[in-house]
Amino acid sequence: MTTAKPPPSVLVAGSANVDFIVRTPHIPAPGETVLGGDLTVTPGGKGANQAVACARGGGVATAMLLALGDDPFAPLIEASLRDAGVDLRVVRSTRPTGAALICVSDEAENAIAVAPGANATLAPADLTDLAGVAGLVLQFETPMATVTAFAKKARAQGVPVILNAAPAAALPAELRAAIDVLVANEEELVVLAGRDGTIAERLRSLDVPCAVATLGARGCCALADGAYWLQPAFPVAPVDTTGAGDTFCGVLAGALCSGAPLADALRRASAAAALATTRLGAQASAPTAAEIEALLHGRQPDESALAGLAAYCGVTEYNLAGRPAGQLSDPA
Ligand code: RIB
């Protein structure tokens, strides 16, 4: 008798927080007090947000390795992950569950302060098994030594590594050497590659097989195998951008690990991230696969958005995400 093997899954190893969110007219300046709306307490953390986005929007089997405290906040996070269909590997810590204080402005911008707590205790030895893992997703809310050790373990076993370089931190050389896909927003790209040069040039300087810059309302730009890929943002009315980058990463990872070409994965991830900005919260705002499909077949970014994105990134020859390579380049 043969035992059926479980389907390959995406493993997210990283952070989970409880998010304490308050909406205010604007983000307080240093020393300023701003009165806002009622407090919302909701599950978050970059790693957990990515796991939920991957499972809910990517339609792919997803597991998460995370460290939680032994306190009343841990069950909130575990329930959210389980409800999304994420298989959990929990390391119980003596430190409190991670927490984030988030201020969301009426312009949908945010400012976040994180108390890592249990996330800071995730250790290299906690990743014991990569059997059946089609891709490992990492972020920078757990110790750099742990992130590096996890990435090296995955590389040694031939498991692709997708790193979201958030929050911004420099990339150790041994970690860079173990990355297959690197995703960074504009601020993170400054820390990774400096301020000099265009987005395109700075992506090239990262020297990883695939580098993706997420550029908020402009869209995203990727460099893989020497070719640039552009995807303008899908037009939506944003309410809260918290977790949009995490949704992008989770859905991108799910698509790539399911075998989707980069072009399709970028387009799905962009649609998912756009949808995530239309709702309050991080995990709560991650869309379902059906919602992503609907947007992919709905209102599309226009040609001027594409031209603007190309100019902003400093690329003249590129492929358009969602179409085969070579179908569209240099619109000038
Ligand atoms: O990226 C958004 C996340 O950053 C929030 O959920 C918060 O917990 C912080 O980790």
Side-chain angles (χ1 to χ4, degrees):
M1 194 176 95
T2 56
T3 317
K5 273 200 285 358
S9 68
V10 173
L11 175 63
V12 180
S15 62
N17 298 324
V18 174
D19 289 351
F20 296 86
I21 308 173
V22 60
R23 283 202 80 104
T24 53
H26 61 272
I27 305 291
E32 185 185 16
T33 300
V34 179
L35 294 184
D38 288 348
L39 181 72
T40 303
V41 180
T42 180
K46 296 186 191 303
N49 298 344
Q50 291 168 16
V52 166
C54 183
R56 193 182 289 156
V60 57
T62 307
M64 180 167 185
L65 170 63
L66 69 168
L68 296 172
D70 187 7
D71 52 38
F73 293 132
L76 179 75
I77 293 168
E78 290 175 64
S80 176
L81 286 160
R82 286 209 175 93
D83 285 353
V86 178
D87 189 31
L88 298 189
R89 303 184 192 177
V90 179
V91 177
R92 202 59 64 180
S93 171
T94 54
R95 300 270 301 271
T97 296
L101 307 182
I102 304 180
C103 188
V104 179
S105 76
D106 285 347
E107 277 75 48
E109 299 294 339
N110 65 46
I112 304 178
V114 174
N119 295 309
T121 68
L122 201 66
D126 290 329
L127 180 59
T128 52
D129 186 12
L130 281 164
V133 173
L136 177 67
V137 180
L138 303 167
Q139 331 73 34
F140 284 160
E141 280 187 332
T142 46
M144 188 61 82
T146 301
V147 174
T148 303
F150 286 0
K152 287 171 73 175
K153 193 173 277 187
R155 170 54 61 102
Q157 296 186 32
V159 175
V161 174
I162 296 139
L163 173 71
N164 176 214
L171 204 57
E174 55 179 345
L175 175 56
R176 183 190 308 259
I179 296 169
D180 294 279
V181 181
L182 175 62
V183 183
N185 70 17
E186 220 164 337
E187 292 76 37
E188 291 146 10
L189 191 58
V190 168
V191 174
L192 294 172
R195 288 186 190 280
D196 294 342
T198 62
I199 298 279
E201 287 165 342
R202 286 183 283 153
L203 283 178
R204 200 177 315 128
S205 77
L206 294 176
D207 194 23
V208 291
C210 175
V212 184
T214 55
L215 305 167
R218 295 178 194 277
C220 67
C221 176
L223 173 63
D225 296 326
Y228 288 100
W229 297 84
L230 295 181
Q231 174 62 55
F234 284 78
V236 291
V239 170
D240 174 15
T241 55
T242 309
D246 299 329
T247 295
F248 182 98
C249 291
V251 172
L252 182 80
L256 291 175
C257 294
S258 306
L262 177 64
D264 293 346
L266 288 172
R267 198 158 171 271
R268 283 196 78 80
S270 298
L275 288 165
T277 69
T278 63
R279 297 187 277 241
L280 186 68
Q283 287 164 40
S285 69
T288 63
E291 289 172 321
I292 296 170
E293 280 304 321
L295 185 57
L296 287 173
H297 294 98
R299 195 169 150 221
Q300 302 297 307
D302 60 29
E303 287 295 320
S304 68
L306 176 61
L309 177 61
Y312 188 75
C313 294
V315 290
T316 51
E317 297 208 354
Y318 54 87
N319 300 293
L320 181 62
R323 297 193 201 161
Q327 193 167 330
L328 188 139
S329 71
D330 194 1

